[in-house]
Amino acid sequence: MNELRVLVLIPARYASSRFPGKPLAKISKKSMIQRVYENCLGIKDQLTHSVVSVVTDDSRIEEHVKDFGGEVVRVDDDVASGSERIALALERFYSNKEWDFVINVQGDEPLIESDLLSRLAQYHSESNFDLATVVKPFSGFEEDHNDSNKVKAIYSPVRGQCLYFSRARLPYYREEVKSQDWFLHIGIYSFRPKALKEFCKLEGSYYENIEKLEQLRALENGYTIGAVTTDMTLMGVDVPEDIAKLEGVLREREIKS
C-alpha cells in the first residue's frame, strides 16, 4: 500500500453564491481550509509517495495557505467545477510524476480524516472502477434526507457501485417500512489520471445540468463509479449557519477526549 502514488488536491474558491469567502471562514479559531489541509496531511504517513496541495484562484486563499505552511498552487481559469480545476493543476504543476490516483477533496469538508483517503485509494487500486468515491449509510433522519444540499447516492452494496446521485429524496419508498435506509454522498473523488483528463474534456451532460452535480456527467458518459462506505462523522459546510453546528461537533469531541 505504501507504494501507491496519490496526489490529493483540494480546490478552494473564494467566490460562492451561498457563502463568499468560505475557505477562510474561522471554525474554532482555525480556518476551514487549514483544517481540511491538515486533516488530509496524515495520508503522507500511510502512503509515503503522496502529496497534498490546495488549488485556488484567489490571492487571499493562496497567501493564507502559505502562511500556515501549506502547499498551494494557483489556477485562475474560469472553470465550471473543482474537478476541472484540479485537472489543470495536475497538468501544469504535477505532471512531472506518474500518479496512480488523483483524489479531489472538497475544501468544505473540515472533518475529513486521512485514514478515509488512504482506504479510498487502496479500494480504488483493487477495483476496475474509473472513479471511486465515499458514501455514508443513514436510516431515517427525515430532515437530512429531504435536504437538497445533501446529495443522495443510489448505491449497490452488492457491487460496491454508485448507479445515480441526486439532490432529491432517493430512494423513494412506495410502501410503508419501519426504516427508510439511504446513502449520503460524501464529495470526495478518486480519479485514475487518464479518467480525470478524459472526464474534463466532456461537455456538460443532461442530468448534470439539471441537478448541478458533476459526477452525473461521468455516469452519463459510461464511466463507472465505485464507493467505500464510512461511518465517520462528516459535515460539509454549505451556508454560514453550518459553522455553529460544526463547532458544536468539535466541542463534543474535545469533551469526549
Side-chain angles (χ1 to χ4, degrees):
M1 182 172 177
N2 282 341
E3 297 304 311
L4 287 179
R5 296 157 296 182
V6 178
L7 175 62
V8 178
L9 295 177
I10 308 167
R13 294 176 62 247
Y14 189 90
S16 170
S17 58
R18 289 179 294 176
F19 194 169
K22 183 165 60 171
L24 301 180
K26 285 291 194 296
I27 302 170
S28 297
K29 300 181 180 180
K30 190 178 286 189
S31 74
M32 180 152 51
I33 192 62
Q34 184 173 356
R35 287 186 178 277
V36 175
Y37 181 86
E38 291 178 349
N39 287 350
C40 289
L41 269 185
I43 194 174
K44 298 175 74 170
D45 297 328
Q46 300 156 45
L47 305 177
T48 56
H49 299 292
S50 60
V51 169
V52 178
S53 179
V54 174
V55 184
T56 189
D57 62 348
D58 187 88
S59 58
R60 290 161 290 190
I61 296 173
E62 180 183 25
E63 290 307 313
H64 175 66
V65 175
K66 289 179 179 178
D67 285 344
F68 68 70
E71 181 169 339
V72 60
V73 295
R74 189 77 174 266
V75 175
D76 290 345
D77 305 56
D78 184 16
V79 294
S81 69
S83 294
E84 291 173 54
R85 195 170 301 281
I86 69 165
L88 291 173
L90 171 64
E91 177 186 344
R92 295 173 185 174
F93 300 100
Y94 298 103
S95 59
N96 59 328
K97 292 184 180 179
E98 293 291 329
W99 303 99
D100 293 308
F101 303 105
V102 181
I103 297 183
N104 179 355
V105 176
Q106 302 301 312
D108 57 4
E109 285 283 354
L111 297 182
I112 189 71
E113 296 178 12
S114 60
D115 287 350
L116 180 58
L117 303 183
S118 300
R119 189 159 66 88
L120 178 62
Q122 180 65 28
Y123 168 80
H124 204 175
S125 72
E126 296 169 353
S127 78
N128 293 318
F129 293 116
D130 300 304
L131 286 72
T133 188
V134 181
V135 296
K136 182 173 182 176
F138 275 90
S139 182
F141 295 90
E142 194 85 11
E143 183 179 350
D144 286 338
H145 204 181
N146 285 323
D147 188 345
S148 63
N149 289 323
K150 292 178 169 40
V151 177
K152 276 64 72 174
I154 297 300
Y155 168 74
S156 169
V158 175
R159 300 175 63 182
Q161 185 172 358
C162 294
L163 307 176
Y164 190 71
F165 301 87
S166 180
R167 297 184 183 278
R169 180 174 177 166
L170 294 178
Y172 172 77
Y173 282 80
R174 184 171 181 180
E175 297 179 356
E176 186 175 344
V177 292
K178 291 182 179 179
S179 175
Q180 295 192 4
D181 299 330
W182 56 285
F183 290 91
L184 175 70
H185 180 227
I186 308 300
I188 303 165
Y189 300 97
S190 175
F191 289 90
R192 300 182 189 277
K194 181 175 181 289
L196 175 61
K197 294 174 185 176
E198 291 175 349
F199 170 77
C200 291
K201 292 178 182 178
L202 297 172
E203 295 292 329
S205 63
Y206 180 75
Y207 288 105
E208 175 191 10
N209 291 331
I210 291 175
E211 298 246 25
K212 305 305 179 189
L213 297 173
E214 64 173 331
Q215 62 269 40
L216 295 179
R217 188 193 320 171
L219 292 180
E220 289 185 75
N221 282 278
Y223 289 83
T224 56
I225 303 179
V228 296
T229 60
T230 183
D231 60 1
M232 187 180 295
T233 298
L234 294 165
M235 184 182 295
V237 175
D238 298 305
V239 293
E241 292 75 21
D242 291 336
I243 296 292
K245 299 176 186 177
L246 189 55
E247 289 179 331
V249 172
L250 293 173
R251 282 194 296 272
E252 287 182 12
R253 284 186 175 183
E254 290 175 0
I255 293 171
K256 290 179 180 179
S257 62

